[in-house]
């Protein structure tokens, strides 16, 4: 059992309703805390009041995000600015759906899948619009090559950033505070569905299974660590392990934020203002991909460290004895 930690400090105040709607300060980006989360919280309160559930909010965000991408096709700056505002609103809705789910305890596997897919729909529309726009500006059809490669880079960047955030939440909050899945359990769920009776859900399950396998394929040492932790600590993680992991892993969370929405969109808006939208593709590939690689390499180092420490710990440090 974990040691009972006693101290004389005053107890921490209970989190506010707004703070309870957040995942964790460890994984939240400052722009989100200052801007998107407060807006999302107000939207979530409104949705809760009228009885709108999280999944419809996510679907609405997809329409706004795709509409934003379409408006980036035009070279008129005022139309692009409208697109920027729509994309900001779409991301506010994307924030609101998760906050609403936590506020109302209305979480579901479908909701997690939709939430992850929403951003992909937005950026598919954005990449297509920029490619078509660039061709109108005189680029050849070869512009689709960096457009597709940047799109593939974006998928991996977002997938791994989302995965590492959920791993961090798993270690500091457990299963109740994390949406961490594994392909073994997802495979069993997928196999239990039939194409005849569950075509829609089986298709979604297949897509999400492939998505999870992609995340796992880029993190082999992390998979070994998670397997060991689940086998060794079936009744919950020891306090010492949680504290130690958080100290080592929290510094890496800033890289998951860099390759996510805010950084890429700020630069996308800049290049739209400069009427050089094609630069976005090369920024994605040659700036964000090295950050992705650095993030993966260091996350794997942390995973190897804790795997060996748990496996070989002779003093039973993490058992609290």
């Amino acid at each position: 059992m974990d040691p009972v930690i006693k101290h004389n400090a005053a107890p921490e105040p209970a989190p506010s309703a707004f703070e309870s709607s957040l995942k964790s300060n460890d994984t939240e980006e400052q722009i989100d805390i200052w801007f998107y989360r407060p807006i999302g919280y107000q939207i979530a309160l409104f949705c809760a009041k009228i009885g709108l559930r999280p999944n419809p909010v996510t679907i609405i965000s997809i329409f706004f995000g795709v509409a934003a991408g379409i408006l980036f096709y035009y070279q008129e700056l005022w139309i692009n600015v409208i697109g920027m505002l729509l994309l900001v609103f779409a991301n506010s809705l994307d924030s609101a759906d998760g906050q609403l789910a936590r506020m109302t305890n209305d979480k579901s596997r479908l909701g997690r899948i939709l939430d992850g897919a929403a951003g992909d729909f937005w950026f598919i529309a954005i990449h297509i619009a920029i490619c078509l726009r660039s061709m109108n500006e005189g680029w050849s059809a070869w512009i689709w090559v960096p457009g597709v490669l940047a799109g593939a880079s974006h998928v991996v960047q977002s997938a791994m950033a989302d995965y590492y955030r959920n791993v961090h939440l798993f270690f500091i909050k457990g299963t109740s505070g994390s949406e961490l899945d594994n392909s073994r359990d997802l495979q069993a769920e997928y196999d239990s569905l039939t194409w005849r009776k569950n075509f829609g859900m089986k298709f979604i399950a297949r897509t999400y299974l492939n998505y999870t396998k992609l995340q796992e394929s880029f993190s082999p040492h992390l998979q070994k660590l998670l397997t060991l932790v689940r086998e060794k600590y079936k009744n919950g993680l020891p306090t010492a392990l949680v504290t130690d992991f958080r100290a080592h892993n929290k510094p890496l969370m800033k890289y998951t934020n860099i390759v996510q929405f805010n950084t890429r969109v700020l630069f996308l808006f800049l290049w739209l203002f400069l009427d050089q939208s094609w630069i976005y593709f090369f920024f994605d590939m040659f700036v964000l991909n090295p950050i992705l690689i650095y993030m993966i390499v260091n996350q794997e180092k942390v995973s190897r460290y804790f795997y060996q420490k748990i496996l070989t710990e002779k003093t039973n440090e993490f058992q609290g004895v």
Side-chain angles (χ1 to χ4, degrees):
M1 294 179 62
D2 292 349
V4 177
I5 302 176
K6 296 182 180 180
H7 52 78
N8 296 322
E12 294 185 2
S16 66
F18 169 70
E19 291 171 334
S20 297
S21 74
L22 306 177
K23 287 185 176 180
S24 166
N25 284 332
D26 285 8
T27 58
E28 295 283 359
E29 192 172 0
Q30 285 303 318
I31 293 177
D32 289 335
I33 293 176
W34 293 336
F35 183 75
Y36 285 110
R37 299 305 186 223
I39 295 175
Y41 180 64
Q42 294 302 319
I43 296 173
L45 287 176
F46 174 76
C47 292
K49 184 176 181 180
I50 66 174
L52 190 62
R53 299 182 64 188
N55 289 353
V57 177
T58 308
I59 293 171
I60 293 170
S61 80
I62 292 175
F63 284 100
F64 276 98
V66 170
I70 293 172
L71 294 183
F72 296 152
Y73 164 76
Y74 301 95
Q75 286 185 267
E76 290 82 355
L77 181 58
W78 68 272
I79 297 179
N80 296 162
V81 170
I82 295 175
M84 296 175 196
L85 294 175
L86 289 180
L87 190 58
V88 168
F89 184 64
N91 197 51
S92 299
L93 289 172
D94 188 55
S95 176
D97 62 11
Q99 291 173 277
L100 178 62
R102 286 184 285 277
M103 288 165 52
T104 59
N105 197 29
D106 188 4
K107 303 176 184 178
S108 67
R109 174 68 53 72
L110 179 60
R112 168 155 170 70
I113 296 171
L114 284 174
D115 188 59
D120 291 337
F121 280 110
W122 305 347
F123 283 94
I124 287 172
I126 290 170
H127 282 236
I128 292 174
I130 292 177
C131 285
L132 294 174
R133 172 182 177 143
S134 298
M135 291 181 69
N136 287 343
E137 295 170 348
W139 287 76
S140 73
W142 283 103
I143 190 63
W144 289 92
V145 174
V148 171
L149 291 176
S153 298
H154 173 253
V155 169
V156 177
Q157 292 160 11
S158 297
M160 296 313 298
D162 177 68
Y163 192 59
Y164 289 144
R165 284 178 174 179
N166 277 303
V167 167
H168 188 80
L169 292 171
F170 169 77
F171 273 91
I172 68 172
K173 287 190 171 185
T175 55
S176 62
S178 170
E179 297 172 330
L180 186 64
D181 290 309
N182 64 82
S183 59
R184 182 186 59 188
D185 293 342
L186 294 176
Q187 184 70 57
E189 292 180 19
Y190 171 77
D191 292 339
S192 69
L193 301 173
T194 64
W195 287 108
R196 174 179 290 184
K197 295 181 179 180
N198 315 102
F199 181 85
M201 285 305 301
K202 193 170 180 73
F203 176 79
I204 292 173
R206 178 75 257 179
T207 303
Y208 188 54
L209 175 59
N210 291 341
Y211 177 80
T212 304
K213 285 183 175 180
L214 171 70
Q215 295 170 319
E216 293 175 350
S217 68
F218 279 92
S219 55
H221 291 287
L222 175 55
Q223 301 314 308
K224 292 174 63 177
L225 172 62
L226 290 173
T227 298
L228 179 62
V229 164
R230 287 178 175 129
E231 290 176 352
K232 194 175 182 69
Y233 307 115
K234 295 180 180 180
N235 296 321
L237 303 182
T239 301
L241 174 58
V242 171
T243 302
D244 200 9
F245 184 87
R246 185 179 188 183
H248 281 78
N249 203 64
K250 184 178 177 180
L252 299 179
M253 290 298 99
K254 61 178 175 288
Y255 300 108
T256 69
N257 292 327
I258 292 173
V259 300
Q260 284 282 58
F261 180 85
N262 291 326
T263 301
R264 67 175 67 248
V265 165
L266 286 173
F267 280 95
L268 171 62
F269 289 177
L270 171 64
W271 289 312
L272 285 167
F273 274 110
L274 297 176
D275 196 20
Q276 301 293 330
S277 58
W278 57 273
I279 300 178
Y280 172 72
F281 295 153
F282 296 91
F283 172 78
D284 207 325
M285 290 186 292
F286 298 116
V287 176
L288 295 185
N289 272 343
I291 296 173
L292 168 71
I293 293 170
Y294 182 83
M295 179 177 69
I296 292 174
V297 169
N298 282 275
Q299 187 71 62
E300 288 291 273
K301 286 182 180 178
V302 170
S303 298
R304 286 198 299 271
Y305 168 78
F306 279 99
Y307 179 82
Q308 291 298 327
K309 188 165 187 176
I310 294 172
L311 199 64
T312 62
E313 186 60 60
K314 295 181 180 180
T315 61
N316 244 355
E317 175 187 350
F318 292 144
Q319 296 296 335
V321 297

